[in-house]
Amino acid sequence: MEINTNSSFKKKDHILKLVDKKVAYDFIRKHHYLGDAKFFSKYAYGLFHKDGDIMMGVATFSNPQGNVALKGWFGLDNSDQTVLELSRLCVLPQLNGTNATSYLLGNSLKLLRKEGIRAVITLADDSRHNGSIYQVCNFKYYGLTDNKTDFFSADGRVNPRGSTKDVQGVWLPRTQKHRYAYIIDDTLNCLYQEKPYPKKTDTKEYDCCGGTKVVYDKRFNVKYSCPKCTDSINLV
């Protein structure tokens, strides 16, 4: 079925289906701003017209990453399987500005409830957006992650273990993330303090290289290509 890009999105004409992880990844690699950045997926729900087989959007949900993810959020052990993270949410470009994204996310949450999932967490990069889609879908807001920096070593590693005192490379600011959670099980208590929703103007600009695409390691008097802007760190 051909998608009419001039028509508005009508909820009654669409359905969600559980889709294969590879199908989800291929769609996201083509249409999501993060491109082919790797991610894990436990559930992937595709958006389809009820009379067609062309996928128009996808939402993927994964086990939260990081050693303290679930402990920090809910005091749970990381082996817990009842809390998931929204890892990717993406629709066809022609559906941007419609309610297709909120329909996809909202109905994905209903399907996850049937799977025994108690909560879904997600993070919104504060240099890109304030997470308005999560506000529309009644997620609760729990403030920003802490200010942090990352060390990019000259051999291409990020935050290598051990002291970096004698390691060539540069420290660069990490973007903060807006924390959101959709609590399905009311008995589940979030350990972060709930806060008012951020506004569309609550975005930040992070200066890694001032637009020069060159960063400087003053300890060793060495210049490198900016690893954030060029996806590489090479002597210049």
Side-chain angles (χ1 to χ4, degrees):
M1 177 181 176
E2 184 178 354
I3 300 173
N4 184 354
T5 60
N6 295 319
S7 63
S8 60
F9 180 84
K10 298 179 181 178
K11 297 180 181 180
K12 64 182 181 64
D13 292 334
H14 296 83
I15 58 173
L16 266 61
K17 300 178 186 178
L18 193 64
V19 298
D20 182 80
K21 296 174 184 177
K22 184 180 184 305
V23 172
Y25 176 75
D26 288 344
F27 183 93
I28 289 166
R29 182 175 57 181
K30 183 176 181 180
H31 298 293
H32 196 275
Y33 70 85
L34 290 177
D36 60 358
K38 297 293 183 181
F39 66 95
F40 298 98
S41 174
K42 185 173 182 178
Y43 294 98
Y45 295 110
L47 173 66
F48 297 84
H49 191 281
K50 65 180 182 181
D51 297 325
D53 57 2
I54 299 176
M55 193 161 73
M56 305 166 67
V58 69
T60 66
F61 300 86
S62 314
N63 293 115
Q65 300 299 302
N67 293 331
V68 296
L70 288 179
K71 184 177 181 181
W73 276 92
F74 301 106
L76 298 173
D77 187 271
N78 264 23
S79 61
D80 184 274
Q81 297 293 305
T82 65
V83 175
L84 297 180
E85 181 175 0
L86 174 64
S87 45
R88 295 289 189 275
L89 180 64
C90 180
V91 297
L92 292 174
Q94 57 263 41
L95 291 178
N96 289 332
T98 71
N99 58 359
T101 307
S102 59
Y103 175 86
L104 170 58
L105 178 54
N107 283 277
S108 294
L109 295 171
K110 292 179 182 178
L111 293 173
L112 290 174
R113 181 190 294 270
K114 296 178 181 179
E115 299 292 341
I117 301 304
R118 296 196 293 160
V120 171
I121 63 174
T122 190
L123 300 172
D125 191 322
D126 77 333
S127 69
R128 292 181 178 271
H129 57 100
N130 68 327
S132 58
I133 184 62
Y134 311 129
Q135 299 176 20
V136 171
C137 292
N138 295 317
F139 279 64
K140 293 182 178 180
Y141 178 64
Y142 295 99
L144 285 164
T145 56
D146 296 335
N147 277 304
K148 292 184 178 181
T149 55
D150 291 309
F151 184 77
F152 295 82
S153 65
D155 60 7
R157 292 178 295 166
V158 181
N159 294 326
R161 292 188 177 183
S163 173
T164 59
K165 180 180 179 180
D166 298 318
V167 180
Q168 292 192 355
V170 291
W171 287 96
L172 296 176
R174 181 190 301 181
T175 58
Q176 289 181 272
K177 305 294 194 302
H178 293 291
R179 298 190 193 98
Y180 285 92
Y182 188 86
I183 311 295
I184 298 173
D185 180 357
D186 291 337
T187 66
L188 193 62
N189 180 43
C190 183
L191 300 182
Y192 295 119
Q193 182 180 358
E194 186 177 357
K195 297 185 177 181
Y197 285 146
K199 300 176 181 178
K200 289 184 178 180
T201 54
D202 292 335
T203 57
K204 295 181 182 178
E205 292 185 7
Y206 292 84
D207 183 18
C208 50
C209 61
T212 64
K213 295 187 178 180
V214 175
V215 289
Y216 178 58
D217 180 3
K218 62 182 180 181
R219 300 169 304 156
F220 295 95
N221 193 28
V222 176
K223 292 181 179 180
Y224 300 101
S225 58
C226 178
K228 285 197 169 185
C229 295
T230 67
D231 291 325
S232 65
I233 181 166
N234 300 306
L235 286 171
V236 295

